[in-house]
Amino acid sequence: MKAKKSLGQNFLINDTIIENIVSLFYVTENDLIIEIGPGRGALTEKLSKLPSRLLCIEVDKDLKPVLSKFESENCKIIYEDILKVDLKTIVQNYQYDNLYIVGNLPYYITSPILEHLIKSGLNINQMVFMVQKEVADRFSAKSCSSNYGYMTLFLNYYYNVTSEIFVPKKDFNPIPKVDSMVIKLEPRYHEFYINEQKYFSFLKNAFRLKRKTLKNNLSSQYNWQTIKEVLEANKLNENVRAEQITQELFIEIYLKLFENQN
Ligand code: SAM
């Protein structure tokens, strides 16, 4: 069966990498793992041998003959588009202690999948994903680096993102154009209340024009005097760019701007 480029089908063929990914999970029989895009079952085969239950979501029905051999009491496969399924409803059929999500993600929809999972409102204990190396660099970037941007802050607001396993392109069939990285995402909890929709719209504005200063990007819509005071209190002058500002400082600025109106 030919791999479908349009569905991002690059199948993992290195057994050691597969074992290393699966070994990132410490699960019991009371846990549930969701695998996104099982493909020909490279990860599914090993994941289905863990004590937890496994639920796989694959959009390509043509893979049924290959995947059906992994189906069992403990391993179910649903043929649906991950972006269209209501995960909260699906997992209601399961009783579990901890929820884990894993996938060698179709690269053309990596960010939409992450946004979909975050918006699902599910309480996820850990996620492990294979993504393009350059995307992993963006997701785990630190402030003041060129990879740091809106998506870094969005994702790191909800999760601590760490790069775990480098995977060269030769470990896939067909061979993609770029290398990959396995990343691990562990949830973060905040003790303050923030209107997330408004905060992320503020961040999008801060990064609107990459080469411009924060002042250029924000002063027409937000009270610049308030922002300037917070910057100065943190020993930054008003010519800073968004990529120089940490999440903690963005939150401090946002909360100061919208004090009492959150
Ligand atoms: N897990 C397999 C492996 O590691 O060899 C396959 C990984 S391949 C990079 C991505 C998989 O995601 C493919 O099987 C593809 O058909 C599936 N896929 C693509 N778009 C999808 C979607 N919207 N929903 C669910 N699965 C999708």
Short mmCIF file of all heavy atoms in Angstrom, two decimals, residues 25 27 30-34 53 55 87-88 91 94 96-102 117 120-127 187:
data_model
loop_
_atom_site.label_atom_id
_atom_site.label_comp_id
_atom_site.label_asym_id
_atom_site.label_seq_id
_atom_site.Cartn_x
_atom_site.Cartn_y
_atom_site.Cartn_z
N PHE A 25 6.33 6.09 28.81
CA PHE A 25 5.05 5.95 29.52
C PHE A 25 5.16 4.99 30.70
O PHE A 25 5.62 3.87 30.53
CB PHE A 25 3.97 5.43 28.56
CG PHE A 25 3.63 6.42 27.50
CD1 PHE A 25 4.27 6.39 26.28
CD2 PHE A 25 2.70 7.42 27.75
CE1 PHE A 25 3.98 7.33 25.31
CE2 PHE A 25 2.41 8.36 26.79
CZ PHE A 25 3.05 8.31 25.56
N VAL A 27 2.51 3.45 32.88
CA VAL A 27 1.05 3.39 32.99
C VAL A 27 0.60 2.14 33.73
O VAL A 27 1.32 1.14 33.80
CB VAL A 27 0.40 3.40 31.58
CG1 VAL A 27 0.49 4.76 30.95
CG2 VAL A 27 1.01 2.33 30.68
N ASN A 30 -5.35 1.04 34.94
CA ASN A 30 -6.44 2.02 35.11
C ASN A 30 -6.24 3.26 34.26
O ASN A 30 -6.97 4.23 34.38
CB ASN A 30 -6.53 2.46 36.58
CG ASN A 30 -6.88 1.31 37.47
OD1 ASN A 30 -7.64 0.43 37.05
ND2 ASN A 30 -6.31 1.27 38.67
N ASP A 31 -5.21 3.27 33.41
CA ASP A 31 -4.92 4.45 32.60
C ASP A 31 -5.38 4.24 31.16
O ASP A 31 -5.59 3.12 30.70
CB ASP A 31 -3.41 4.74 32.61
CG ASP A 31 -2.92 5.10 34.02
OD1 ASP A 31 -3.74 5.61 34.80
OD2 ASP A 31 -1.75 4.85 34.32
N LEU A 32 -5.51 5.38 30.47
CA LEU A 32 -5.93 5.34 29.07
C LEU A 32 -4.91 6.10 28.22
O LEU A 32 -4.50 7.21 28.57
CB LEU A 32 -7.32 6.00 28.92
CG LEU A 32 -7.85 6.19 27.49
CD1 LEU A 32 -8.09 4.84 26.81
CD2 LEU A 32 -9.16 7.00 27.50
N ILE A 33 -4.51 5.47 27.11
CA ILE A 33 -3.63 6.16 26.15
C ILE A 33 -4.43 6.36 24.86
O ILE A 33 -5.07 5.43 24.36
CB ILE A 33 -2.37 5.33 25.81
CG1 ILE A 33 -1.56 5.04 27.07
CG2 ILE A 33 -1.50 6.06 24.78
CD1 ILE A 33 -0.25 4.28 26.81
N ILE A 34 -4.37 7.58 24.32
CA ILE A 34 -4.95 7.83 23.00
C ILE A 34 -3.78 7.99 22.03
O ILE A 34 -2.88 8.80 22.27
CB ILE A 34 -5.81 9.11 22.98
CG1 ILE A 34 -7.01 8.95 23.92
CG2 ILE A 34 -6.28 9.44 21.57
CD1 ILE A 34 -7.92 10.17 24.00
N ARG A 53 -5.29 0.81 28.77
CA ARG A 53 -6.10 0.66 27.56
C ARG A 53 -5.62 1.63 26.50
O ARG A 53 -5.02 2.67 26.81
CB ARG A 53 -7.57 0.86 27.88
CG ARG A 53 -8.19 -0.44 28.39
CD ARG A 53 -9.38 -0.22 29.24
NE ARG A 53 -9.08 0.69 30.32
CZ ARG A 53 -9.99 1.45 30.91
NH1 ARG A 53 -11.23 1.40 30.53
NH2 ARG A 53 -9.66 2.26 31.90
N LEU A 55 -6.65 3.68 22.81
CA LEU A 55 -7.67 4.11 21.85
C LEU A 55 -6.95 4.84 20.72
O LEU A 55 -6.27 5.85 20.97
CB LEU A 55 -8.66 5.06 22.55
CG LEU A 55 -9.65 5.80 21.67
CD1 LEU A 55 -10.62 4.82 21.01
CD2 LEU A 55 -10.44 6.81 22.50
N LEU A 87 -13.39 14.71 21.63
CA LEU A 87 -12.65 13.78 22.50
C LEU A 87 -13.30 13.61 23.87
O LEU A 87 -13.30 12.53 24.43
CB LEU A 87 -11.22 14.27 22.67
CG LEU A 87 -10.31 14.06 21.45
CD1 LEU A 87 -9.01 14.79 21.61
CD2 LEU A 87 -10.05 12.57 21.23
N LYS A 88 -13.86 14.71 24.36
CA LYS A 88 -14.46 14.65 25.70
C LYS A 88 -15.59 13.63 25.73
O LYS A 88 -15.72 12.86 26.68
CB LYS A 88 -14.96 16.04 26.10
CG LYS A 88 -14.57 16.35 27.51
CD LYS A 88 -14.80 17.73 27.93
CE LYS A 88 -14.45 17.81 29.41
NZ LYS A 88 -14.39 19.15 29.91
N VAL A 91 -14.08 9.90 25.37
CA VAL A 91 -13.44 9.30 26.55
C VAL A 91 -14.43 9.03 27.69
O VAL A 91 -14.09 8.34 28.65
CB VAL A 91 -12.22 10.11 27.08
CG1 VAL A 91 -11.16 10.25 26.01
CG2 VAL A 91 -12.64 11.44 27.64
N TYR A 94 -14.92 5.59 28.84
CA TYR A 94 -13.85 4.93 29.60
C TYR A 94 -13.83 5.47 31.01
O TYR A 94 -14.12 6.64 31.23
CB TYR A 94 -12.48 5.24 28.98
CG TYR A 94 -12.26 4.60 27.64
CD1 TYR A 94 -12.78 5.18 26.49
CD2 TYR A 94 -11.54 3.42 27.52
CE1 TYR A 94 -12.59 4.60 25.24
CE2 TYR A 94 -11.34 2.83 26.30
CZ TYR A 94 -11.86 3.42 25.16
OH TYR A 94 -11.66 2.83 23.94
N TYR A 96 -11.00 6.03 33.78
CA TYR A 96 -9.54 5.93 33.87
C TYR A 96 -9.03 6.87 34.95
O TYR A 96 -9.69 7.85 35.32
CB TYR A 96 -8.89 6.27 32.52
CG TYR A 96 -9.28 7.64 32.00
CD1 TYR A 96 -8.60 8.78 32.44
CD2 TYR A 96 -10.32 7.79 31.10
CE1 TYR A 96 -8.96 10.03 31.97
CE2 TYR A 96 -10.69 9.05 30.64
CZ TYR A 96 -10.00 10.16 31.08
OH TYR A 96 -10.38 11.39 30.63
N ASP A 97 -7.82 6.58 35.42
CA ASP A 97 -7.18 7.46 36.40
C ASP A 97 -6.41 8.56 35.68
O ASP A 97 -6.53 9.74 35.97
CB ASP A 97 -6.20 6.67 37.28
CG ASP A 97 -6.94 5.76 38.24
OD1 ASP A 97 -8.15 5.98 38.44
OD2 ASP A 97 -6.31 4.81 38.76
N ASN A 98 -5.57 8.14 34.71
CA ASN A 98 -4.71 9.11 34.02
C ASN A 98 -4.88 8.98 32.51
O ASN A 98 -5.04 7.87 32.00
CB ASN A 98 -3.24 8.85 34.36
CG ASN A 98 -2.98 8.97 35.84
OD1 ASN A 98 -3.19 10.03 36.42
ND2 ASN A 98 -2.57 7.89 36.46
N LEU A 99 -4.80 10.12 31.84
CA LEU A 99 -4.96 10.11 30.38
C LEU A 99 -3.65 10.56 29.72
O LEU A 99 -3.08 11.59 30.09
CB LEU A 99 -6.09 11.08 29.99
CG LEU A 99 -6.32 11.29 28.50
CD1 LEU A 99 -6.73 9.99 27.81
CD2 LEU A 99 -7.39 12.35 28.26
N TYR A 100 -3.20 9.75 28.76
CA TYR A 100 -1.97 10.06 28.03
C TYR A 100 -2.30 10.15 26.55
O TYR A 100 -3.14 9.40 26.05
CB TYR A 100 -0.93 8.95 28.25
CG TYR A 100 -0.54 8.78 29.69
CD1 TYR A 100 -1.27 7.97 30.55
CD2 TYR A 100 0.55 9.47 30.20
CE1 TYR A 100 -0.92 7.83 31.89
CE2 TYR A 100 0.92 9.33 31.54
CZ TYR A 100 0.17 8.51 32.37
OH TYR A 100 0.53 8.38 33.70
N ILE A 101 -1.61 11.03 25.84
CA ILE A 101 -1.83 11.12 24.40
C ILE A 101 -0.48 11.02 23.70
O ILE A 101 0.52 11.61 24.15
CB ILE A 101 -2.56 12.42 24.01
CG1 ILE A 101 -3.86 12.51 24.82
CG2 ILE A 101 -2.84 12.45 22.51
CD1 ILE A 101 -4.90 13.45 24.33
N VAL A 102 -0.44 10.24 22.63
CA VAL A 102 0.81 10.01 21.93
C VAL A 102 0.56 10.02 20.43
O VAL A 102 -0.55 9.75 19.98
CB VAL A 102 1.43 8.65 22.38
CG1 VAL A 102 0.51 7.48 22.04
CG2 VAL A 102 2.79 8.41 21.77
N LEU A 117 -6.50 19.75 21.07
CA LEU A 117 -6.38 19.01 22.33
C LEU A 117 -6.50 19.96 23.52
O LEU A 117 -7.16 19.65 24.51
CB LEU A 117 -5.04 18.26 22.39
CG LEU A 117 -4.88 17.14 21.36
CD1 LEU A 117 -3.46 16.57 21.40
CD2 LEU A 117 -5.88 16.02 21.62
N SER A 120 -10.06 21.01 23.93
CA SER A 120 -10.98 19.92 24.30
C SER A 120 -11.33 19.98 25.78
O SER A 120 -12.33 19.41 26.21
CB SER A 120 -10.35 18.56 23.99
OG SER A 120 -9.33 18.28 24.95
N GLY A 121 -10.50 20.66 26.57
CA GLY A 121 -10.77 20.80 28.00
C GLY A 121 -10.49 19.51 28.78
O GLY A 121 -10.81 19.41 29.95
N LEU A 122 -9.88 18.52 28.13
CA LEU A 122 -9.58 17.27 28.81
C LEU A 122 -8.42 17.46 29.78
O LEU A 122 -7.50 18.24 29.51
CB LEU A 122 -9.16 16.20 27.79
CG LEU A 122 -10.26 15.50 27.02
CD1 LEU A 122 -9.65 14.64 25.93
CD2 LEU A 122 -11.08 14.64 27.98
N ASN A 123 -8.47 16.72 30.86
CA ASN A 123 -7.38 16.76 31.82
C ASN A 123 -6.35 15.71 31.37
O ASN A 123 -6.54 14.52 31.58
CB ASN A 123 -7.96 16.42 33.19
CG ASN A 123 -7.06 16.91 34.28
OD1 ASN A 123 -5.93 17.33 34.02
ND2 ASN A 123 -7.54 16.84 35.49
N ILE A 124 -5.28 16.16 30.71
CA ILE A 124 -4.32 15.23 30.11
C ILE A 124 -3.05 15.20 30.98
O ILE A 124 -2.47 16.25 31.25
CB ILE A 124 -3.96 15.66 28.67
CG1 ILE A 124 -5.24 15.77 27.83
CG2 ILE A 124 -2.98 14.67 28.03
CD1 ILE A 124 -5.06 16.51 26.50
N ASN A 125 -2.64 14.00 31.39
CA ASN A 125 -1.48 13.90 32.30
C ASN A 125 -0.15 14.10 31.60
O ASN A 125 0.79 14.64 32.16
CB ASN A 125 -1.48 12.56 33.00
CG ASN A 125 -2.65 12.47 33.94
OD1 ASN A 125 -3.78 12.38 33.49
ND2 ASN A 125 -2.41 12.56 35.23
N GLN A 126 -0.08 13.59 30.36
CA GLN A 126 1.18 13.73 29.62
C GLN A 126 0.93 13.48 28.13
O GLN A 126 0.10 12.65 27.77
CB GLN A 126 2.18 12.70 30.13
CG GLN A 126 3.53 12.75 29.43
CD GLN A 126 4.47 11.67 29.96
OE1 GLN A 126 4.90 11.69 31.10
NE2 GLN A 126 4.77 10.69 29.13
N MET A 127 1.63 14.25 27.29
CA MET A 127 1.53 13.99 25.85
C MET A 127 2.94 13.79 25.31
O MET A 127 3.88 14.47 25.75
CB MET A 127 0.88 15.17 25.13
CG MET A 127 -0.48 15.53 25.69
SD MET A 127 -1.48 16.50 24.57
CE MET A 127 -0.91 18.15 24.89
N PRO A 187 1.51 19.01 31.92
CA PRO A 187 0.65 20.16 32.23
C PRO A 187 1.22 21.10 33.28
O PRO A 187 1.92 20.68 34.20
CB PRO A 187 -0.65 19.52 32.71
CG PRO A 187 -0.32 18.12 33.05
CD PRO A 187 0.89 17.72 32.27
#
